[in-house]
Amino acid sequence: MAVVVRMLLSRILALIPLLLGVILFVFIVMRFAPTDPALAAFDGANATAEQLQQFRLENGLLDPLPLQYVHFVWHLVQGDWGTSVITKQPVGETIATALPLTVQLTLLGLVIALVTSLVLGVTSALFRDRWPDKAIRIVTLAGVAAPAFWVALLLVQWLAVGQGLFPTSGYVSPADSFGGWLNSLTLPAVALALPVAAQLTRVIRTSMVEELDKDYVRTARGGGLPPVVVVGRNVLRNALVTPLTVLGLRVGYLLGGAVVIETMFALPGMGQNMIQAVKDGDTAKVQGFVITIAIGFVLVNLIVDVLYLIANPRLRSHA
């Protein structure tokens, strides 16, 4: 346990410069974007040059860039994510409203991807080079090549428009109706999960095959242990160590893919709000949404690092 805590603290300390670098990158990109926050704030109001200059002065837009960055980070640390120049509402409030839906969509997609990849990956490894393995490999190859938005279009055309089983858009809160919530998020989550499930299936299959070829598996089978015990208690546990490292990156893909999927299904999450903020030239909102997604990606990878450390005794022994 002490090793895990020490490694966790070292990972957290290493994340601080990483987060500062991400914030710096977003800050610079937004400062050199063609959108002028002052013009966006007075959109349609025919503001004079004096009013625009006064707005820039009051909001620190005329300060040197390094000073603007320091002020920006300081406000973030204090919980101040800025104020929308369009709606005049704090960006933090908008994020607090939109983030839960994105998290729900990402977690539901993750569950679907994990269950699907475990079933297909283990089945493919156990039936290596036989027809189930060949069929699964063909399906996963197609899944890896299929982008999430294309899968979403097919699902909408087939299951929503054609069969009428799911709504084409909209969101129902789980507090209002769990069944309605699940119905509204099933198609977006499946579209988001299938490419990830295909990639994880191939990784799990490869890891399982390598593990099944090891000497201890042949010894256990020769000793008369049931295949269910050998695979479930030993092979599967050891084989899942490698896919854990891939899982962190795939969860980041789910977070990023949710931006597109939410827009396609008109879900009021981070994605749709960020796209609208880009259209409106709302710099504060765009910065807040991008930094939130980046922080989420970093935290997920931190959790995966800890899980990998727990699952891999050899790594703990070297720590």
Side-chain angles (χ1 to χ4, degrees), residues 146-186:
F149 72 89
W150 183 75
V151 175
L153 290 175
L154 292 181
L155 292 175
V156 168
Q157 184 65 32
W158 177 33
L159 297 177
V161 177
Q163 304 296 325
L165 299 177
F166 299 96
T168 58
S169 61
Y171 171 72
V172 177
S173 172
D176 298 331
S177 170
F178 180 79
W181 170 81
L182 191 61
N183 198 42
S184 65
L185 286 188
T186 296

Side-chain angles (χ1 to χ4, degrees), residues 55-307:
F55 177 87
R56 297 186 183 103
L57 182 63
E58 292 175 354
N59 289 272
L61 298 177
L62 300 179
D63 294 337
L65 279 180
L67 183 59
Q68 290 186 45
Y69 174 70
V70 172
H71 288 163
F72 181 61
V73 173
W74 177 244
H75 286 300
L76 286 179
V77 171
Q78 294 179 313
D80 180 10
W81 293 72
T83 303
S84 169
V85 297
I86 306 298
T87 63
K88 312 303 180 185
Q89 294 179 342
V91 174
E93 293 182 2
T94 306
I95 293 175
T97 303
L99 183 60
L101 192 152
T102 300
V103 172
Q104 293 168 27
L105 177 60
T106 302
L107 290 179
L108 185 57
L110 179 62
V111 170
I112 294 173
L114 286 177
V115 172
T116 304
S117 60
L118 275 174
V119 172
L120 294 181
V122 173
T123 302
S124 182
L126 294 178
F127 291 90
R128 178 175 26 172
D129 296 330
R130 285 181 275 177
W131 72 264
D133 179 31
K134 294 177 181 178
I136 291 173
R137 289 164 70 181
I138 292 174
V139 171
T140 55
L141 182 62
V144 170
F149 72 89
W150 183 75
V151 175
L153 290 175
L154 292 181
L155 292 175
V156 168
Q157 184 65 32
W158 177 33
L159 297 177
V161 177
Q163 304 296 325
L165 299 177
F166 299 96
T168 58
S169 61
Y171 171 72
V172 177
S173 172
D176 298 331
S177 170
F178 180 79
W181 170 81
L182 191 61
N183 198 42
S184 65
L185 286 188
T186 296
L187 281 190
V190 170
L192 196 60
L194 286 183
V196 175
Q199 294 170 348
L200 282 178
T201 298
R202 296 171 69 86
V203 175
I204 291 173
R205 189 254 181 203
T206 302
S207 186
M208 282 283 295
V209 167
E210 292 177 354
E211 204 67 27
L212 287 169
D213 287 338
K214 291 186 177 179
D215 292 336
Y216 80 88
V217 176
R218 288 190 288 269
T219 302
R221 286 175 172 173
L225 286 178
V228 175
V229 175
V230 177
V231 174
R233 187 174 296 177
N234 301 108
V235 175
L236 185 59
R237 179 180 178 181
N238 294 333
L240 290 182
V241 173
T242 300
L244 270 177
T245 61
V246 180
L247 181 62
L249 297 176
R250 294 304 94 198
V251 174
Y253 168 85
L254 289 173
L255 283 170
V259 173
V260 178
I261 297 299
E262 286 176 2
T263 304
M264 294 183 64
F265 286 91
L267 299 174
M270 296 282 289
Q272 190 177 28
N273 278 276
M274 186 165 66
I275 296 298
Q276 188 59 48
V278 172
K279 292 179 180 178
D280 295 338
D282 199 334
T283 305
K285 270 190 177 181
V286 175
Q287 287 180 160
F289 291 139
V290 173
I291 290 174
T292 301
I293 293 175
I295 291 175
F297 180 82
V298 170
L299 291 179
V300 166
N301 278 274
L302 174 63
I303 294 172
V304 171
D305 283 345
V306 174
L307 292 176

